């Protein structure tokens, strides 16, 4: 053992620095590889950490006789190579987040402990060598079915594939194993080879985009700005295939895989290589296997949601972000990172190209494209024979609405379903009615824990607070005036629209798609299948319906309440509203049949709606950018938001007041806004207040923020309240 070596460890704990340790007595320094997990003494307990680096002792470190030694080396080979460690260090610095927590976020659950990584090969079953007669199992039908299934395949069947057999098959598997009829086997990764004739001929625009991506050498950010249905996915598939053919790995980030099973299937079927999938609905075992496959370089393409950005990929050669404008790329709690922004950084560190795709690019990305930091590729034609939909506004000010739908829209729906076409109605509000009121005295059902109203859910027969999740039954009589039968539902959610349409169109399936109707696993897939198999039908849904689905028979999209977004005070609200409207509209007319979109509004002269309708999203976004520049808002300024919360509103405000007391010294070049209460100040019993920091120079923001946070974290006040830093916040209310 050499006394002069110090090991810097990222300890899995909310700590902002690396910690110094001595090598364990028993190990040689050659075993202390950076990126390996170790167990270390920490306070009076032991913690898991990752060796970040080892260095020779220098004078700045505490003298080595006060350092403690590493207790145990867990890994023989590193989990995180130098590239990944560099990336994670950068993440911790940029988001002013503890390095130990960043590392934890990057590791699968079991590897945050001292467990050994699972084998990358999926486990399955195969028939054991002996000759087997199905006839012998005629009295055990489940065992017989399993055997039948195993006999049909030469390589065996994975555990996952076996779950498609009905019922609980575990006891039967066990019995078969005891009888020596079957045995465990490692499944080879599934390699898909797309048949070449399945590939479409690229349009000129698509080919140009593919060529540009192939030509990108080293770090290069390309915006693939393509209208809905223009064939962006086809471009991704070509670019990915090209990279894989050069033995490179490809990372594809998508907003929510569970919502877009079609997209996932296209990657799984369309790629010539091993495709691994990572998202939060996977079991932790499957996620870990995916992680290991990518980390060992066995997976050629990893498709996943935001946290997949932390999966190590030693041969990474291309990153693709689909729907780059989607805010689900931003983690909204704890370690508040933006997977899109981090992906650009990762591409820069690896010196590789990255493609950001969207029909409605974020203003940040558009800004970077306008000033030519990003290469701007445009797809302006719909692929195949499809035409962009025709969009019209319906002024509902003087109309009588039933369940929020005007008679013009009902008429249009009837016309389409008479032609056996399908219809989508979009309403961004789940439940039956957003408000329960007493018509005798004006009482409104509000949440006891939030500054918010309760939503009535008819299916559940419950009042439900969408902010804290608390639920209760409908009162028998008005809690205020005691009147009976005086409570009425006001406004409408998807449940009410579904009910009403069922009455108007009793012979047509009405399929509701929102978070409630798709809560159970597989239920969204089922609903999507139902739509595919059905003739005329009406889908009623929330923004879930806006996400990338391809419904070839939908010819009419009705947007019931476009005004909801127009009235929101957040400065990003116009951008969000425009994106949502365009994305929802994009579901109409995706195949040969032309599509039509009807937008109900009480503000038909609203400038946003007019620009969007008459000039399109790009014109709208350029105008919106000009306004942001005028108001000096992002992307022309950089922000960090301090969020504080506590059970005593005064105390929360006092903390933020205290926090800015040193701002003249520590934040001299930063504009401060606040403290201000959150839009919904009280949520789940906590009072929430914000402090917004803003400046035109990103570096200044980070330097001064760092010093100020360092001071603030040392103050006793900072420990009495829950607070956090959100760098580049996407929601500031
Ligand atoms: P986007 O991702 O831009 O919404 P997709 O890639 O999903 O668009 O393409 C929309 C539809 O058009 C898909 O059904 C796709 O198979 C088809 N498509 C894409 N490119 C072509 C092409 N060059 N020729 C014919 N059909 C195409
Ligand atoms: Zn009342
Ligand atoms: Zn609540």
């Amino acid at each position: 053992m050499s006394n002069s070596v110090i090991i810097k460890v990222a300890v899995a704990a909310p700590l902002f620095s690396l910690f110094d340790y001595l090598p364990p007595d028993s190990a040689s320094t050659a075993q202390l590889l950076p990126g390996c997990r170790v167990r270390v003494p920490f306070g009076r307990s032991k913690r898991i950490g990752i060796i970040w680096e080892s260095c020779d002792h220098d004078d700045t470190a505490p003298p080595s006789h006060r350092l403690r030694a590493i207790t145990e080396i867990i890994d023989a080979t590193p989990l995180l190579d130098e590239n990944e460690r560099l990336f994670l260090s950068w993440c911790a610095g940029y988001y002013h987040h503890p390095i130990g927590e960043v590392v934890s976020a990057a590791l699968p659950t079991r590897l945050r402990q001292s467990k050994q990584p699972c084998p990358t090969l999926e486990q399955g079953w195969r028939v054991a060598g002996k000759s087997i007669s199905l006839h012998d199992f005629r009295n055990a039908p489940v065992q017989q079915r399993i055997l039948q299934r195993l006999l049909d395949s030469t390589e065996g069947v994975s555990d996952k594939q076996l779950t498609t057999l009905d019922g609980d098959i575990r006891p039967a598997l066990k019995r078969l194993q005891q009888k020596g009829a079957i045995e465990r086997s490692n499944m080879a990764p599934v390699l898909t080879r797309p048949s070449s004739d399945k590939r479409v001929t690229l349009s000129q625009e698509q080919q140009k985009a593919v060529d540009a991506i192939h030509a990108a050498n080293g770090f290069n950010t390309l915006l693939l700005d393509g209208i809905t249905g223009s064939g962006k996915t086809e471009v991704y598939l070509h670019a990915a295939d090209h990279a894989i053919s050069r033995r490179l790995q490809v990372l594809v980030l998508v907003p929510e895989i569970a919502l877009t099973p079609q997209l996932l299937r296209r990657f799984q079927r369309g790629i010539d290589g091993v495709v691994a999938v990572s998202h939060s609905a996977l079991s932790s075992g499957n996620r870990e296997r995916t992680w290991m496959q990518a980390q060992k370089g066995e997976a050629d393409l990893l498709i996943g949601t935001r946290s997949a950005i932390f999966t190590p990929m030693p041969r990474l050669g291309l990153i693709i972000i689909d729907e780059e404008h989607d805010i689900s790329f931003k983690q909204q709690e704890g370690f508040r990172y933006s997977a899109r922004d981090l992906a650009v950084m990762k591409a820069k560190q690896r010196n590789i190209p990255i493609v950001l795709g969207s029909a409605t690019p974020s203003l940040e990305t558009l800004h970077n494209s306008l000033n030519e930091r990003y290469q701007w590729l445009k797809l302006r034609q719909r692929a195949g024979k499809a035409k962009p939909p025709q969009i019209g506004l319906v002024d509902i000010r003087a109309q009588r609405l039933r369940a929020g739908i005007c008679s013009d829209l009902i008429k249009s729906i009837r016309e389409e379903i008479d032609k056996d076409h399908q219809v989508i109605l979009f309403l961004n509000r789940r439940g039956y009615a957003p408000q329960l009121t007493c018509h005798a005295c004006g009482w409104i059902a509000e949440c006891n824990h939030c500054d918010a109203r309760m939503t009535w859910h008819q299916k559940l027969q419950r009042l439900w607070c969408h902010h804290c999740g608390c639920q209760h039954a409908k009162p028998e009589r008005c809690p205020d005036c005691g009147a009976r039968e005086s409570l009425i539902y006001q406004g409408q959610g998807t449940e009410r629209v579904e009910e009403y349409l069922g009455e108007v169109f009793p012979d047509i399936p009405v399929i509701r798609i929102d978070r409630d109707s798709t809560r159970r696993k597989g239920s969204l897939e089922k609903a999507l299948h139902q739509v595919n198999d059905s003739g005329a039908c009406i889908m009623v849904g929330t923004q879930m319906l806006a996400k990338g689905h391809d419904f070839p028979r939908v010819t009419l999209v009705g947007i019931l309440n476009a005004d909801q977004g127009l009235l929101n005070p957040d400065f990003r609200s116009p951008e969000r509203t425009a994106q949502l409207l365009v994305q929802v509209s994009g579901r109409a007319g995706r195949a040969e049949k032309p599509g039509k979109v009807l937008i109900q509004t009480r503000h038909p002269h609203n400038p946003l709606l007019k620009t969007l309708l008459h000039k399109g999203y790009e014109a709208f976004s350029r105008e919106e950018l000009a306004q942001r520049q005028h108001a000096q808002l992002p992307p022309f300024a950089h922000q960090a938001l301090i969020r504080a919360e506590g059970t005593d509103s005064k105390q929360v405000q006092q903390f933020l007041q205290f926090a800015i007391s040193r701002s003249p010294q520590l934040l001299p070049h930063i504009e401060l806004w606040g403290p201000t209460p959150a839009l919904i100040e009280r949520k789940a019993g906590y009072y929430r207040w914000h402090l917004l920091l803003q400046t035109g120079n990103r570096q200044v923001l980070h330097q001064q923020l760092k010093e100020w946070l360092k001071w603030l974290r040392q103050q006793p006040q900072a420990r009495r309240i829950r607070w956090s830093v959100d760098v580049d916040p996407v929601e500031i209310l």
Side-chain angles (χ1 to χ4, degrees), residues 200-203 206 224 226-236 263 266 322-323 359 379 382-386 548-550 587 590:
V200 296
T201 319
L202 294 182
S203 70
Q206 284 173 315
L224 183 61
I227 60 171
T228 51
S230 59
K232 293 184 290 297
T233 311
E234 216 56 50
V235 172
Y236 304 150
L263 178 75
R266 279 172 76 182
D322 188 31
E323 311 288 4
L379 305 180
R382 276 201 162 177
K385 298 195 188 78
H549 303 293
D550 208 356
R587 300 311 118 210
R590 286 175 65 90

Side-chain angles (χ1 to χ4, degrees), residues 447 449-450 465 467-468:
C447 178
H449 315 283
C450 307
C465 171
H467 299 279
C468 71

Side-chain angles (χ1 to χ4, degrees), residues 249-453:
Q249 283 177 302
V250 179
L251 173 64
V252 181
L253 295 185
V254 295
E256 279 153 280
I257 289 186
L259 297 186
T260 49
Q262 291 168 331
L263 178 75
L264 181 59
R265 268 198 302 276
R266 279 172 76 182
F267 271 94
Q268 283 172 325
R269 289 192 191 141
I271 289 293
D272 199 356
V274 178
V275 174
V277 185
S278 165
H279 57 88
S280 56
L282 285 182
S283 70
S284 63
N286 279 331
R287 269 175 104 169
E288 182 181 330
R289 182 174 305 113
T290 298
W291 195 91
M292 289 307 299
Q293 282 174 341
Q295 191 256 13
K296 290 186 177 173
E298 292 169 6
D300 297 305
L301 184 140
L302 173 65
I303 179 166
T305 45
R306 62 172 178 258
S307 65
I309 186 63
F310 298 116
T311 311
M313 297 178 79
R315 297 186 281 114
L316 186 63
L318 173 68
I319 303 179
I320 295 167
I321 317 276
D322 188 31
E323 311 288 4
E324 66 86 29
H325 65 278
D326 199 298
I327 60 164
S328 71
F329 286 122
K330 172 96 185 195
Q331 168 120 329
Q332 298 280 24
E333 56 191 16
F335 173 24
R336 294 169 178 264
Y337 62 92
S338 154
R340 178 198 61 205
D341 298 350
L342 286 183
V344 174
M345 190 50 185
K346 196 165 204 175
K348 188 172 175 196
Q349 286 185 342
R350 299 290 188 91
N351 196 29
I352 59 171
I354 172 168
V355 179
L356 307 178
S358 177
T360 51
S362 64
L363 294 192
E364 282 78 7
T365 296
L366 201 78
H367 178 54
N368 281 322
S369 305
L370 281 166
N371 64 27
E372 296 183 0
R373 248 183 294 177
Y374 295 175
Q375 198 179 332
W376 194 347
L377 310 171
K378 295 184 189 182
L379 305 180
R380 288 292 177 258
Q381 306 290 320
R382 276 201 162 177
K385 298 195 188 78
K387 292 274 164 301
Q390 206 188 53
I391 306 182
L393 292 181
V394 188
D395 182 354
I396 52 170
R397 280 174 300 182
Q399 296 228 30
R400 224 186 117 220
L401 305 182
R402 303 277 310 271
I405 308 175
C406 68
S407 53
D408 285 359
L409 184 51
I410 291 289
K411 215 174 99 201
S412 299
I413 297 174
R414 193 176 308 271
E415 279 168 18
E416 294 309 314
I417 57 183
D418 282 348
K419 286 185 241 162
D420 229 21
H421 294 163
Q422 298 180 336
V423 175
I424 287 180
L425 293 187
F426 172 80
L427 175 62
N428 222 356
R429 204 178 251 156
R430 63 198 174 89
Y432 188 82
Q435 192 163 311
L436 181 71
T437 310
C438 169
H439 71 71
C441 73
W443 172 85
I444 295 172
E446 286 177 341
C447 178
N448 290 331
H449 315 283
C450 307
D451 299 329
R453 290 172 182 166

Side-chain angles (χ1 to χ4, degrees), residues 60 131 133 308 594 639:
T60 56
S131 63
S133 152
Q639 298 180 329

